[in-house]
Amino acid sequence: MNDQNNLIEEIFENDDQLTEKQKKIIVAAIESFAEKGYASTSTSEIAKRAGVAEGTIFRHYKTKKDLLYSIVEPMIAKFIAPFVINDMKKVLDQDYEQFEDFLRAMFENRISFIRRNLLLFRILVQEIPFQPELQKMFKKHIVSKIYTRFEDLVDHYKAKGQLVDVPASTIIRVTVSSIFGYLIARNLLFPEINWDDEVETEQTIRLILNGVSPRE
């Protein structure tokens, strides 16, 4: 948890517009939202955790939703987007001979990233499906900057005869949903299970390849 707290503080430490109380509120809100979810967290709980009066929160943020947005957008724009994009580019820009090798590199890359940023990942997964504004932020800062490159890569492997002739969007959906499905199960749904990442990676890759590889 200490590493996560240091990470959170790093996002906002250079923001001169935030007071020390606001930083405490933000850190407390991130921890609370990650643990209990946005809907189940009250502003009184956040205030207690931050060591401030509840009225202090509303002096800075009109609503609890404003507080959530004030946290998530800088998380995406200042921290998550650059790291996700840079990490993804390391994988996407490599000239892997086989689509299987690309999948393995991408899988390992995402497991490492989520392990380092679990609190942030938990909030995004919990809240993005229910918050249209967060969906727009995510698409603006991340999806739009990666998707075209991913399409080019899929077309590259299709031209080499390694992928079935279906739209690139279908292959991207199958690949991304399989990888992130495992990450969500591992880190959010069933964290108590003693997961073997190496075995799960190989099994998931086999399942993806069975679906996207051309038939003999």
Side-chain angles (χ1 to χ4, degrees):
M1 185 66 72
N2 287 336
D3 288 342
Q4 296 287 3
N5 286 341
N6 291 339
L7 189 61
I8 292 165
E9 291 167 0
E10 180 182 332
I11 298 171
F12 300 96
E13 67 178 356
N14 294 322
D15 194 331
D16 297 332
Q17 296 180 344
L18 293 179
T19 66
E20 286 305 313
K21 284 188 177 181
Q22 279 179 284
K23 291 179 183 179
K24 289 180 181 179
I25 291 169
I26 286 170
V27 171
I30 290 173
E31 293 173 342
S32 298
F33 290 154
E35 289 176 9
K36 300 181 63 176
Y38 167 79
S40 298
T41 299
S42 68
T43 51
S44 60
E45 291 172 311
I46 295 170
K48 183 177 180 180
R49 193 166 201 158
V52 302
E54 188 174 9
T56 303
I57 294 178
F58 292 113
R59 280 200 295 273
H60 295 291
Y61 308 99
K62 293 181 180 179
T63 65
K64 186 174 70 168
K65 184 167 287 188
D66 285 340
L67 174 57
L68 175 67
Y69 291 169
S70 75
I71 290 168
V72 174
E73 183 157 29
M75 282 165 58
I76 293 176
K78 295 181 182 179
F79 185 80
I80 297 178
F83 275 77
V84 168
I85 291 168
N86 289 339
D87 279 0
M88 287 287 284
K89 281 184 176 179
K90 291 177 185 177
V91 176
L92 293 172
D93 290 345
Q94 293 293 321
D95 185 17
Y96 294 103
E97 182 64 27
Q98 301 292 324
F99 184 66
E100 177 179 348
D101 298 328
F102 162 75
L103 285 179
R104 189 170 290 107
M106 186 169 173
F107 217 124
E108 292 171 354
N109 174 276
R110 294 301 84 197
I111 288 174
S112 175
F113 180 84
I114 298 306
R115 188 179 292 124
R116 298 195 308 269
N117 303 284
L118 186 55
L119 280 187
L120 311 185
F121 177 69
R122 183 175 290 135
I123 291 174
L124 290 177
V125 169
Q126 289 173 344
E127 304 307 332
I128 281 181
F130 309 104
Q131 305 285 348
E133 286 301 315
L134 298 188
Q135 295 171 21
K136 291 178 183 177
M137 291 178 196
F138 190 77
K139 290 177 182 177
K140 172 186 173 183
H141 291 292
I142 297 178
V143 175
S144 62
K145 298 178 181 178
I146 294 176
Y147 189 81
T148 300
R149 180 68 185 91
F150 211 149
E151 276 188 321
D152 293 341
L153 184 139
V154 168
D155 289 338
H156 167 73
Y157 287 112
K158 284 171 65 176
K160 295 178 71 171
Q162 295 184 20
L163 296 176
V164 66
D165 188 18
V166 299
S169 59
T170 300
I171 294 176
I172 293 171
R173 174 177 55 78
V174 169
T175 301
V176 172
S177 61
S178 297
I179 292 175
F180 278 91
Y182 169 64
L183 294 174
I184 290 170
R186 183 196 191 284
N187 293 289
L188 301 183
L189 299 181
F190 310 108
E192 70 280 0
I193 294 178
N194 186 24
W195 297 95
D196 186 327
D197 286 329
E198 185 174 346
V199 170
E200 295 293 339
T201 295
E202 293 305 314
Q203 290 178 342
T204 304
I205 288 173
R206 296 272 74 78
L207 290 173
I208 294 172
L209 291 176
N210 283 340
V212 302
S213 298
R215 295 291 180 262
E216 295 293 336

